[in-house]
Amino acid sequence: MKNFRFLFIPIILTISACGWFKKPPEIGKVLSEHFKNKIYKDFDTVAYDSVFVKTMSEVSENFINPKTIKSFYVSNKDEPKLVTKFYTNGNLDSLVNFLQNSTVHGINPKIFKTEEIKSLLQELGANKFKTVDESYPVIAKLEILSANAYLNYTNFLKFGVVNPRNIFSRYYIKVKRPDSAGMINLLGSESMIDTLRAVQPRSEQYKALQQAYLNASAEDEKRILLLNMERFRWKMPEMGENFVQVNIPDFKLTWFDKTDTVITMKVCVGGKREAGYEDKMKAFAKSGNLDDKPKNHETPLLFSKINSIQANPIWNIPVSIAQSEIYWMARKDPYYLSNSNIQVYYKDKLIGEPDTINWNKYSRDKLPFKFKQGSGGGNALGKFKFIFDNSSSIYLHDTNNKNGFNLTNRAISHGCVRIEKPLEFAEKLVGDGNTYDKLRAEVDLPPIDSTHIKWYKKRMAAKADTTKSFQLKPAWFGPKKAVPLIITYITAWSQNDRIEYRPDIYGMDEKLWTAMKKFR
């Protein structure tokens, strides 16, 4: 009897190897129970995998993140994870609803293949497959298109439709973008509906623009609102509740403390680049002639922190300005440099008499000189310079030309930002009465605190003493705390329960509109 019993062991092993006792995969169990349909108990993972691979190859050609999606399924043995987890609980139906409603964000549902996903859901839900093999193409395509739509929808709302750093040459703000690890985590999430709800933009500015977009009828207005909704979707650096914003189209600086405005003032920003700039740059690249080089003084968009204040600043004149302006002025007027308090350096050595330089000997594209304008009333930077780290040598500063603040279009600088109320801005930055009085004294203003009058008078006496040589030099002051600064570009926003609109002075709306064309 024992010997007879052992004869069954190889037989059982053989039957097991043939798959007789093989359990259906999870998708088979889920669909079999949901539809009360036994065909899904015959779900063959090998046969399905073949269909899945072929379908992925056919439909993923135009995906935004095909490698990430393929990587997810490779690591999960091509299992239909989304259909398994989210079909029977209605999450895939909810996905379709969110996709159809993407119009409220100015996005076209067609880009997600919404109708095709909806049709596949209906085909699967009809439960009319005669054999399980007939379901494989439907499940595979539903799985892949849903994964792609799910990722794209969440990425668009959480990070924006486009990456501004790929569009604008002077966009230096490091916006956060979706990464493969985050997307794979999304595909592996346990609740699709929770994710879809969580990514809805919640800022008050976005909601106000969205409401105005849904109420607007004029196409031009809807376009501007849509573009600025996109800007508010971009994942900006963390600025905290206390920060300074310069909005270029508004020509305004605003210091925010939570929702309150600490101070606001007019600014002058960089002038718009020349018309036909791209074509002219191509011509310049070929000729190398500075006469062919078009002007571009647009202020870059950036994020940094204001870390120091310089009273009575020295202006290190950029090479581009020296070539395009200083050179010609010096040739025209031999006393221009000394009258403008501009020092000239040759190999880092000061030239004592710059008015004697024979400018006819030098071509402006190979000037061997450096130029610096000394501290004082005629300095182009005025009495204050506000410094923050950036790669474009940009800063906020005072100006000796106050008339610019009376202009409607204040895009008139060489790129830096001139501010209307530098003294008030400096006071807010230092945040300390003693330091502020010292700063005032550097620019010949009496102290606020009467106990500081004595040393203020002493300084003024030294300056007025004609028997001694008093040289005005830059003085440095540190803010109480480094203050975040963002120079941005917004042409529509909510203020006092109404939408404010500003002209697209740099043509950035046009570029963004073109980039978003395929998503509208």
Side-chain angles (χ1 to χ4, degrees), residues 490-506:
I490 303 170
T491 53
W493 68 96
S494 175
Q495 185 174 314
N496 299 326
D497 298 323
R498 57 171 289 178
I499 302 297
E500 295 285 339
Y501 296 93
R502 294 295 183 271
D504 180 24
I505 58 170
Y506 286 172

Side-chain angles (χ1 to χ4, degrees), residues 42-104:
D42 297 329
F43 200 99
D44 187 332
T45 54
V46 175
Y48 169 78
D49 186 71
S50 177
V51 173
F52 180 88
V53 171
K54 181 182 178 183
T55 306
M56 177 69 81
S57 177
E58 291 172 348
V59 304
S60 65
E61 186 175 339
N62 296 318
F63 282 7
I64 296 175
N65 299 290
K67 291 182 179 178
T68 300
I69 293 174
K70 289 176 182 177
S71 175
F72 172 79
Y73 285 105
V74 167
S75 65
N76 285 281
K77 300 178 182 178
D78 294 343
E79 295 177 28
K81 287 288 185 179
L82 301 190
V83 175
T84 302
K85 284 193 290 187
F86 303 130
Y87 174 71
T88 60
N89 66 8
N91 272 207
L92 288 183
D93 292 305
S94 296
L95 172 64
V96 169
N97 291 336
F98 275 95
L99 298 179
Q100 289 176 324
N101 203 41
S102 62
T103 52
V104 303

Side-chain angles (χ1 to χ4, degrees), residues 95 98-99 105 107 112 149-160 182 186 189 191-203 206-207 210 232-233 235:
L95 172 64
F98 275 95
L99 298 179
H105 300 287
I107 302 171
F112 303 113
Y150 177 47
L151 284 188
N152 289 344
Y153 180 86
T154 53
N155 286 343
F156 289 172
L157 293 196
K158 192 174 180 180
F159 301 101
L186 273 178
S189 65
S191 177
M192 180 180 282
I193 188 72
D194 287 349
T195 301
L196 293 168
R197 287 171 178 163
V199 297
Q200 300 303 308
R202 302 187 186 280
S203 78
Y206 188 90
K207 290 179 181 178
Q210 186 179 42
F232 280 103
R233 286 192 287 256
K235 205 78 168 180

Side-chain angles (χ1 to χ4, degrees), residues 19-259:
W20 285 22
F21 295 154
K22 185 179 178 182
K23 295 181 179 179
E26 188 176 3
I27 181 66
K29 290 189 292 183
V30 167
L31 295 181
S32 177
E33 292 174 6
H34 178 74
F35 289 117
K36 308 300 181 189
N37 191 333
K38 293 181 179 180
I39 68 166
Y40 290 108
K41 291 185 177 181
D42 297 329
F43 200 99
D44 187 332
T45 54
V46 175
Y48 169 78
D49 186 71
S50 177
V51 173
F52 180 88
V53 171
K54 181 182 178 183
T55 306
M56 177 69 81
S57 177
E58 291 172 348
V59 304
S60 65
E61 186 175 339
N62 296 318
F63 282 7
I64 296 175
N65 299 290
K67 291 182 179 178
T68 300
I69 293 174
K70 289 176 182 177
S71 175
F72 172 79
Y73 285 105
V74 167
S75 65
N76 285 281
K77 300 178 182 178
D78 294 343
E79 295 177 28
K81 287 288 185 179
L82 301 190
V83 175
T84 302
K85 284 193 290 187
F86 303 130
Y87 174 71
T88 60
N89 66 8
N91 272 207
L92 288 183
D93 292 305
S94 296
L95 172 64
V96 169
N97 291 336
F98 275 95
L99 298 179
Q100 289 176 324
N101 203 41
S102 62
T103 52
V104 303
H105 300 287
I107 302 171
N108 191 338
K110 288 183 179 179
I111 67 172
F112 303 113
K113 295 190 179 297
T114 306
E115 289 302 315
E116 191 168 358
I117 295 172
K118 184 178 179 181
S119 176
L120 290 165
L121 282 169
Q122 291 171 344
E123 188 173 357
L124 182 60
N127 192 27
K128 292 183 178 180
F129 301 117
K130 294 179 180 179
T131 65
V132 70
D133 299 53
E134 294 177 3
S135 72
Y136 297 158
V138 176
I139 294 171
K141 198 167 190 179
L142 175 61
E143 177 73 20
I144 296 167
L145 292 185
S146 295
N148 183 57
Y150 177 47
L151 284 188
N152 289 344
Y153 180 86
T154 53
N155 286 343
F156 289 172
L157 293 196
K158 192 174 180 180
F159 301 101
V161 172
V162 299
N163 184 348
R165 290 166 65 86
N166 292 340
I167 303 170
F168 307 114
S169 60
R170 294 194 176 188
Y171 195 102
Y172 302 128
I173 303 172
K174 292 182 179 179
V175 293
K176 188 178 180 182
R177 298 295 299 167
D179 56 54
S180 57
M183 287 187 278
I184 285 175
N185 285 338
L186 273 178
L187 292 174
S189 65
E190 293 303 315
S191 177
M192 180 180 282
I193 188 72
D194 287 349
T195 301
L196 293 168
R197 287 171 178 163
V199 297
Q200 300 303 308
R202 302 187 186 280
S203 78
E204 293 305 316
Q205 280 292 339
Y206 188 90
K207 290 179 181 178
L209 290 172
Q210 186 179 42
Q211 187 62 45
Y213 175 77
L214 295 174
N215 292 334
S217 55
E219 287 303 315
D220 287 348
E221 184 181 12
K222 292 181 71 173
R223 168 180 165 176
I224 296 170
L225 291 165
L226 185 153
L227 292 172
N228 287 282
M229 286 162 62
E230 169 69 3
R231 289 184 171 111
F232 280 103
R233 286 192 287 256
W234 294 337
K235 205 78 168 180
M236 309 300 278
E238 185 57 50
M239 292 179 285
E241 296 181 328
N242 195 293
F243 65 95
V244 173
Q245 173 184 284
V246 172
N247 183 15
I248 292 174
D250 192 30
F251 304 116
K252 285 281 183 68
L253 176 151
T254 307
W255 189 326
F256 293 101
D257 184 3
K258 298 180 182 176
T259 57

